[in-house]
Amino acid sequence: MPRAVRFNNYGGLEVLQVVEVERPKPGPGQLVVQVKAAGINPGEASIRKGVFAERWPSTFPSGQGSDLAGIVADTGLAVTNVAVGDEVIGFTNERASQAEFVVVESGNLVPRPGNVSWEQAGALFVAGTTAYAAVRSVSLREGDTVVVSGAAGGVGSIAVQLAANAGARVIGVASESNHKWLADHGVIPVTYGEGVEDRISAASGGKVDAFIDTFGGGYVEMAIQLGVAPERIDTIIDFAAAAKYGVKTEGNHAAGTADVLGELAGLIATGRLEIPIAKVYPLAEVREAYRDLEQRHTRGKIVLLP
Ligand SMILES: NC(=O)c1ccc[n+]([C@@H]2O[C@H](COP(=O)([O-])OP(=O)(O)OC[C@H]3O[C@@H](n4cnc5c(N)ncnc54)[C@H](OP(=O)(O)O)[C@@H]3O)[C@@H](O)[C@H]2O)c1
């Protein structure tokens, strides 16, 4: 029987299990993908810990994960856009992608370009569409200076490249271990911690036009202090500060579509976007994968390989 990640109650890493499940069957308009790679995201850890239990409760036993790439294994009635054997990149909104087989809506897939690795394809959906939404929301123009906090993380590493592609000068806030990667991708690296605001001011020459916060913990206030207009600040994590200062909160919900996924896959295929893969884990090591992610120092993405 195929294996899938499951948890039966909210809790720490210990509630995560890899169990044998029935092979899922597609309904009308759905298909089944044999998953080759499934990215992991911090939001899934928060769901599993019960942080969102009131707003977005889990039903138990719960599966986990949205990101996926794989091979179409079975199609339901009225599926015309893909066929068995097609290689695809996609997503599920059913918390289910961390599995050997997963049901996917036929509208939630795009073809995998041959030169996009399984790891990059499987890691693309949540982080990629979130970065896309965040960059779009701050309306970058050629020559603007934008600051990205968490610049080398899953979302940040993609956001800095999309911002540079838009013609902006990009300042990336990250630890020194990530500075070479950032500089190699055309980003001016700045170390976080005490004095970071002064270092950003120095690096920007005193003019910051836009700010994308992927880390929280005071970066929205800092952006306001730096004189950035609220409509050109986006945070994907600090919703209290967003409410207080009236800044944007555009993330996955604003761009989580197959069209955007296809656009991002095209950028990778043509060499204009790279998804750094920090580490891959077999599905059986799902706990180790999240333990690693929850340190909050990942460069790019961690990916499970079922
Ligand atoms: N709203 C949405 O739609 C949405 C979607 C996706 C994610 N999110 C949220 O956005 C956040 C980022 O997600 P992610 O997948 O990019 O996380 P991630 O891959 O775990 O990235 C974490 C990054 O934070 C950096 N960091 C650690 N301490 C920092 C500090 N004091 N200042 C600045 N950066 C620091 C790390 O950089 P160093 O290694 O250099 O320390 C690391 O690159 C998470 O909280 C996640 O839940 C929201």
Side-chain angles (χ1 to χ4, degrees), residues 106-121:
S106 61
N108 293 353
L109 294 168
V110 294
R112 179 180 77 108
N115 60 347
V116 176
S117 71
W118 284 117
E119 289 85 356
Q120 292 195 70

Side-chain angles (χ1 to χ4, degrees), residues 138 145-149 173 200 208-214 219-220 222-224 226 228 232-235:
V138 299
T145 297
V146 59
V147 179
V148 179
S149 66
V173 180
I200 291 171
V208 176
D209 302 291
F211 203 112
I212 295 170
D213 170 37
T214 78
Y219 284 106
V220 170
M222 188 186 301
I224 298 282
L226 285 163
V228 184
R232 300 199 71 194
I233 301 171
D234 190 71
T235 180

Side-chain angles (χ1 to χ4, degrees), residues 82 87-90 106-113 257-259 261-263 265:
V82 284
E87 298 184 349
V88 293
I89 309 176
S106 61
N108 293 353
L109 294 168
V110 294
R112 179 180 77 108
T257 65
D259 283 348
L261 196 55
E263 205 178 310

Side-chain angles (χ1 to χ4, degrees), residues 113-161:
N115 60 347
V116 176
S117 71
W118 284 117
E119 289 85 356
Q120 292 195 70
L124 192 54
F125 175 66
V126 170
T129 61
T130 302
Y132 184 101
V135 171
R136 185 179 60 188
S137 76
V138 299
S139 309
L140 294 176
R141 290 180 289 267
E142 188 83 32
D144 277 348
T145 297
V146 59
V147 179
V148 179
S149 66
V155 178
S157 64
I158 301 173
V160 292
Q161 296 176 73

Side-chain angles (χ1 to χ4, degrees), residues 42 130 152-155 175 178 192 214-215 219 236-237 252 296-298:
T130 302
V155 178
S175 64
N178 288 317
Y192 54 74
T214 78
F215 186 76
Y219 284 106
I236 60 167
I237 183 68
N252 174 249
R296 299 188 81 180
H297 291 294
T298 307

